[in-house]
Amino acid sequence: MCYPTPQELGLAARALADEHPGEVRLRQAGTSRAGQPIWVLSVAATAAAGADHPDGTHGPAPADHAAGPGGADRAERADGDAGSPDPAHRPDGADGPDRSDRPGGGGGRNVLVVAGAHANEPVGGATALSLARRLLRDPAPRAGCGWHFLLCADPDGADLHRTPRPYSLLDYHRYFFRPPGPEQPEWAPSLLPADRLPPETLALLALIDELRPVLQVSLHATDLGGSWVQLTRDIPGLAEPFAKSAADLRIPVENGASDAAGWPSPGPGIFVIPEPGSEAAGAFHPEDTRLSTWYHAHRYDGTTAIVEVPMWASDLVDDPAPHPDPRGALRMLAGRLTADAALVAEARDRARSRDRPGPDAHEDPAAAPLLRAVDWTLALIPRIAVEWTGPGAPAEATAAYIASIDAFGRRLSLRAAAMLLRVLRAEGHPAAPGLDRLVTGWCEEFAARFGARWIPVATQVEHQSRTVLAAYARLVAAGRPTGRV
């Protein structure tokens, strides 16, 4: 099993909709900056036991009523108009969204699953398709709930990161791309004013406004480490099925994820983003999270879960033993990160000083976005190094947390170097061979230090799928609102 491209996702989704015309619909929710379609695949809700339909009938929901977003009239948009409905438009002229034709019918729930928000994390699209097929085989989670899959939130970025089945960390980084924060669909609202949001973000926000999901799940991945879940609100009981799935599939649970340092943790690998002003809020950056699309679902009493799964596993990230000297380790890691970034910055300066490419080079259309990403990453690194060595550095920490920080620092400088190398290679730049050796050595050291073990794509997909279904089941069991407001 390989990671599918955006084009392959669209073709597979189209085939699924053709095979199940009464239950599955494919439509275009928007258009990327480069003009690519942003596809949404919807699997119909079925009637909850004993439910009556608005037309007075009883039993399974009619296909044109529960098939998905906007009813039968919107299904035609999969082949035509890519426009998005205005969530603020009301047919009766009143302010606010119209909720009378909410997908799934009166009182129904919706779940929105977002894949491909980060271009370098391609497993999400495969998981979305797998979940859609699973829901057709076993429709129990569809009782009173429509399921909607944004197949690739950033198709332009995904086209620039080419790695269908990497056989090593070096292979993964050969064609690596991760856009700068302001160009990432989920993060853009935290970094840009509303009038400068990219179309991918606008499509996602409009979809949340339309569906008002009780649960939004964002599917993410890490190159090397373990699995963990971030929650905008706690989902009681999720830790148990999450841990069981990870154990069954031999995926380590990341107990000290650097993304969630100091956050409340109701169970191993489960982290709840803290409220501002709480004791844990010191590790929380509101400009990075609370203005993101993750929190847009809160307008409708929804909850967002971010499910991370590793491509390569490392048992170092689930070691709960106390680290003997966290602050000393963080100082060492900050020094290494600064030194590594300086090597990349030197190569970047050499690239700037070269007026023209070599005689055998060709112009690479990916150069501009790659260099924007390199510059953004290099500008971020000094702030991170200061944070690791500042007064807020923890005096006590687990070995897992220090390992997670170690991995995070390695991947920052490695990603910047790998993206710069793509540009220099295409130009035939004389600095390319030296940077190639640096990237190769860093990849080998990273894999060796963490004992990297490849997780098959099918296993990554299975773990994410189980976690998504468990999150929804536990949310319903907890009696959370339907998402309607």
Side-chain angles (χ1 to χ4, degrees), residues 12 155 247 252 291 375 427:
L291 296 178
D375 292 342
E427 291 182 352

Side-chain angles (χ1 to χ4, degrees), residues 105-187:
R109 296 183 174 94
N110 281 306
V111 171
L112 173 61
V113 178
V114 179
H118 284 154
N120 61 303
E121 300 171 7
V123 69
T127 299
L129 285 176
S130 178
L131 270 170
R133 295 183 179 116
R134 186 178 299 209
L135 290 166
L136 291 167
R137 294 192 304 269
D138 178 11
R142 294 163 52 197
C145 181
W147 287 72
H148 311 272
F149 302 92
L150 186 63
L151 296 176
C152 184
D154 183 11
D156 299 346
D159 277 350
L160 284 174
H161 178 86
R162 300 192 295 273
T163 176
R165 202 301 191 183
Y167 57 84
S168 67
L169 273 176
L170 178 60
D171 188 41
Y172 169 72
H173 284 92
R174 280 298 183 198
Y175 293 96
F176 182 91
F177 176 68
R178 182 184 176 103
E183 298 177 29
Q184 297 174 14
E186 291 182 328
W187 291 111

Side-chain angles (χ1 to χ4, degrees), residues 243-319:
K244 183 178 186 304
S245 173
D248 288 347
L249 298 171
R250 295 189 62 236
I251 297 174
V253 170
E254 191 139 346
N255 289 315
S258 59
D259 287 2
W263 292 2
S265 179
I270 307 293
F271 302 95
V272 181
I273 300 173
E275 296 293 331
S278 67
E279 291 183 1
F284 168 71
H285 306 284
E287 70 275 15
D288 291 339
T289 305
R290 289 196 171 269
L291 296 178
S292 73
T293 58
W294 297 348
Y295 274 82
H296 201 71
H298 282 213
R299 297 185 178 196
Y300 311 106
D301 288 334
T303 298
T304 297
I306 300 92
V307 182
E308 301 267 4
V309 66
M311 302 171 72
W312 283 269
S314 171
D315 294 330
L316 296 182
V317 299
D318 68 355
D319 184 355

